[in-house]
């Protein structure tokens, strides 16, 4: 075996991994999975057309919980990131609950640091949690080896989170009695 | 992406079985019977050199078809 040399052994393995991947990609199950991802992407896109923050958050939370069940068991190294995501959803839901009742939110807003603002509203726990999650989704999108349909789903999920943040800021403005910015100076999220 | 023939797919399977059984020598021998992907052959030439690739014993037929007969010399 030594005579064969590490370079030859490495080339054989890289060729083998590549060929195996090609073979798997051509199986009926793989093609069906790809079609399934396409359908999932379209559904997330449809959800992204709603202005329903609880639905936007719930759909993302469900996707993350499914990933934790599926990948967390196989690979413990991804568990901490997925657990952090789950904790972020708890913060988002709690903030959302407060922001939907103006009196509650006004009271809560007195506890936020006046310098921590985003788009003229308090950069509260919701902002921190959703920003973390948007970054998390972005990091996953740049992972090597991810399929195009999977990347499309992640991109749409990220767009949905940006929309949820935009809608939440509207809720904050409403709760605090603030004017929406003039048209043309819209949110840069 | 070139598709493997049924025979080549069988050789790949045998190679996988050999590797799984810890018989790497047999795995490498079998992998050499499957044409190296042209892109991988090109990269290997770039990194390890044409001489290495010629002496390695891998099947370079697909690369030759893709890049022409003299691709290793150029």
């Amino acid at each position: 075996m030594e005579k064969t040399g590490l370079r030859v052994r490495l080339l054989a393995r890289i060729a083998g991994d590549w060929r195996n991947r090609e073979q798997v990609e051509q199986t009926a199950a793989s093609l069906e999975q790809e079609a399934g991802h396409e359908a999932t992407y379209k559904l997330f896109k449809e959800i992204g057309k709603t202005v329903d923050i609880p639905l936007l958050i719930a759909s993302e939370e469900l996707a993350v919980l499914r990933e934790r069940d599926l990948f967390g068991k196989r690979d413990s190294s991804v568990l901490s990131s997925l657990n952090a995501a789950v904790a972020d959803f708890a913060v988002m839901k709690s903030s959302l609950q407060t922001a939907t009742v103006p009196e509650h939110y006004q009271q809560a807003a007195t506890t936020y640091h006046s310098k921590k603002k985003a788009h003229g509203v308090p950069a509260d726990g919701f902002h921190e949690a959703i920003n973390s999650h948007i970054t998390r989704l972005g990091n996953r999108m740049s992972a090597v080896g991810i399929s195009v349909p999977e990347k499309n789903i992640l991109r749409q999920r990220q767009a949905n989170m940006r929309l949820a943040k935009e809608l939440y800021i509207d809720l904050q403005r409403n709760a605090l009695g603030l004017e929406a910015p003039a048209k043309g100076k819209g949110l840069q999220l | 992406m070139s598709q493997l023939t049924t025979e080549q797919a069988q050789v790949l399977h045998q190679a996988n079985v050999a590797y799984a059984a810890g018989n790497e020598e047999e795995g490498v021998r079998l992998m050499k019977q499957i044409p190296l992907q042209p892109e991988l052959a090109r990269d290997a030439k770039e990194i390890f050199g044409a001489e290495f690739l010629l002496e390695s014993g891998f099947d370079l037929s697909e690369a030759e078809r893709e890049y022409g007969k003299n691709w290793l010399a150029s």
Side-chain angles (χ1 to χ4, degrees), chain A residues 98 104-116 122-125:
Chain A
T98 310
H104 292 179
Y105 194 74
Q106 284 160 17
Q107 197 167 8
T110 60
T111 67
Y112 303 140
H113 198 294
S114 59
K115 281 183 184 167
K116 282 184 80 179
D124 61 16

Side-chain angles (χ1 to χ4, degrees), chain A residues 21 23-37:
Chain A
R21 189 184 173 98
Q23 293 297 101
V24 169
E25 282 172 353
Q26 287 158 21
T27 62
S30 176
L31 295 172
E32 281 178 26
Q33 186 187 42
E34 196 164 310
H37 283 150

Side-chain angles (χ1 to χ4, degrees), chain B residues 36-48:
Chain B
L36 212 55
Q37 294 91 331
E39 301 90 334
L40 183 55
R42 184 197 57 208
D43 294 343
K45 176 195 164 194
E46 174 101 13
I47 294 165
F48 297 141

Side-chain angles (χ1 to χ4, degrees), chain A residues 1-23 25-26, chain B residues 1-4 9 12 16 19 24-25 28 31-32 34-37 39-40 44 48 52-53 58 62:
Chain A
M1 197 72 239
E2 291 309 313
K3 276 192 288 180
T4 313
L6 284 168
R7 289 178 300 177
V8 170
R9 288 164 61 194
L10 178 65
L11 197 51
R13 264 330 317 145
I14 289 176
D17 289 342
W18 189 347
R19 288 292 186 197
N20 282 328
R21 189 184 173 98
E22 286 171 353
Q23 293 297 101
E25 282 172 353
Q26 287 158 21
Chain B
M1 182 179 77
S2 61
Q3 218 162 327
L4 293 182
L12 178 65
N16 288 335
Y19 275 107
E24 186 180 0
E25 198 165 356
V28 171
M31 282 311 300
K32 286 182 180 179
I34 301 170
L36 212 55
Q37 294 91 331
E39 301 90 334
L40 183 55
F48 297 141
F52 158 80
L53 205 51
F58 280 96
E62 280 191 12

Side-chain angles (χ1 to χ4, degrees), chain B residues 58-69:
Chain B
F58 280 96
D59 181 334
L60 302 173
S61 58
E62 280 191 12
E64 196 175 300
R65 199 162 45 239
E66 183 75 22
Y67 305 125
K69 267 196 175 295

